[in-house]
Amino acid sequence: NGACAGSYSVTRTWTATDACGNSSTATQTINVQDTTAPVIATLPATVTISCPATPEFTQATATDACGSAITLTPIDVTTAGACAGSYSVTRTWTATDACGNSSTASQTINVQDTTGPTTTTAFSATIDVSCDAIPDKPALVFVDNCSTATEKEYTVGPKINEVAGSYSFVRTWIATDNCGNESTFKQIINVAVTNSLVTIPSTACNNGEVTTVNLTSLLPVGTPTTGTWTAVNNAAVLQGDVLTVFGLPITTPENPAYVFEYKITDADCPRTIRINMTIDDSCAGIVLPCGVVLVHNAFSPNGDGINENFIIDNIDDINCYPTNTVEIYNRWGILVFDTTGYNNTSRVFNGISQGRSTISQSSGLPSGVYFYILNYTSVDGNGNLQTNKKDGYLYLTK
């Protein structure tokens, strides 16, 4: 036997013998070797399929002339195409017999993106609307089985099927993928031309900081700007689209709501928008800005009715300064007065001790120099609380 199946050697020995019994021998050796590679059966020809299908290869088979055992090994090589979603795969089979002889055969499958994008957004191909309720462009989402899809083009066509009282137009989307495949989506809008009336309720305050109302700001978004305003009832100061509400009588059953009409004389869609304006006094007066916290550091509590109390301007405005504390010490550091929510009236320092330490509550404090500490909070422009502190000398005279 040789090193592998199909390889071996044969030795033939001849013996010659004469009549007297003398003999001699001679030998001949023949070596048989397997030098022929296996034969792989014909594989399918190159084919092209459309993604997202994936290549499916035929299982190779092979035979060996010497009957040796055969090992079949596949190797795949993928080559990118001109765009994402297109590529080719070549599978090469190697058939090897037990003696190391081998042969190869290949099969190639091309994958191409030949299908355009689709949309995952549900939308009606045909809709019927009135001229003042034409919906906005639907936001279609496009997808592709093999690559990325994008909206290439969106167009709105001219009027079609136009007759008295109605017309149509077509919205068209064109979506494309990375391989240049395109898909077209259409929506037909049938429009009825009607002279409609829309009523919008509104309310304004006649005693607030804002003394006017821009009526155009009350119209629905997208309303054409070609219309004109008119006051239908009541005496109201209307300059163009600006209504002066300051001082207008409050709406009552006897004084009904103010009515203003915005008329759009558009041949494609004539319509009227009516504003029913109710007037009230809910603003509770004009809101003034916050005053400055100002400490008056001298007062004379002598009973003459003039400058009797320690006054801190604007500290009682709790909308601007929600909380505060006040402490007053004499020159020896003894606390003679403290309070929270100082307000210049019921909670105010009038020169009378609160009975701290050895100071009698009923006694009036003597003239002299005192020291005050004011801590208070304020509201910044964003509605956040801030902590503030003022301190200094206070002069009490009689």
Side-chain angles (χ1 to χ4, degrees), residues 325-379:
T325 63
V326 174
E327 300 173 1
I328 297 176
Y329 297 85
N330 65 15
R331 60 180 178 174
W332 294 285
I334 297 174
L335 181 68
V336 297
F337 177 88
D338 72 317
T339 189
T340 59
Y342 199 93
N343 59 12
N344 294 321
T345 54
S346 60
R347 296 185 178 183
V348 64
F349 179 47
N350 57 6
I352 302 298
S353 169
Q354 290 187 336
R356 293 293 191 270
S357 189
T358 60
I359 306 298
S360 172
Q361 181 177 4
S362 60
S363 63
L365 293 168
S367 299
V369 177
Y370 295 82
F371 189 80
Y372 71 86
I373 300 175
L374 166 63
N375 292 293
Y376 65 97
T377 57
S378 60
V379 181

Side-chain angles (χ1 to χ4, degrees), residues 53-98:
T54 56
E56 294 184 3
F57 291 94
T58 300
Q59 173 66 44
T61 60
T63 57
D64 188 74
C66 297
S68 176
I70 301 172
T71 301
L72 280 166
T73 304
I75 295 178
D76 291 345
V77 176
T78 300
T79 303
C83 59
S86 294
Y87 61 95
S88 65
V89 180
T90 298
R91 175 166 291 181
T92 300
W93 294 91
T94 299
T96 306
D97 62 18

Side-chain angles (χ1 to χ4, degrees), residues 193-332:
V193 179
T194 58
N195 194 343
S196 63
L197 172 64
V198 176
T199 300
I200 300 175
S202 183
T203 301
C205 180
N206 67 357
N207 66 343
E209 285 188 85
V210 179
T211 60
T212 61
V213 174
N214 188 319
L215 297 179
T216 300
S217 67
L218 305 177
L219 297 175
V221 176
T223 300
T225 59
T226 55
T228 56
W229 285 101
T230 58
V232 177
N233 67 337
N234 286 335
V237 180
L238 185 61
Q239 298 292 332
D241 61 353
V242 177
L243 169 67
T244 299
V245 296
F246 185 77
L248 284 179
I250 296 174
T251 302
T252 63
E254 294 74 23
N255 184 51
Y258 295 79
V259 179
F260 306 96
E261 285 188 349
Y262 185 72
K263 292 188 176 181
I264 303 169
T265 57
D266 183 356
D268 290 338
C269 194
R271 56 196 185 276
T272 300
I273 301 174
R274 180 174 293 172
I275 305 294
N276 284 354
M277 179 73 71
T278 300
I279 303 298
D280 60 33
D281 58 356
S282 61
C283 298
I286 297 176
V287 178
L288 298 175
C290 294
V292 177
V293 174
L294 176 62
V295 178
H296 295 270
N297 62 349
F299 74 113
S300 56
N302 55 13
D304 63 359
I306 301 174
N307 199 23
E308 293 287 336
N309 298 325
F310 173 48
I311 299 299
I312 305 174
D313 287 347
N314 299 309
I315 196 65
D316 54 347
D317 185 353
I318 60 174
N319 290 321
C320 295
Y321 310 108
T323 61
N324 71 73
T325 63
V326 174
E327 300 173 1
I328 297 176
Y329 297 85
N330 65 15
R331 60 180 178 174
W332 294 285

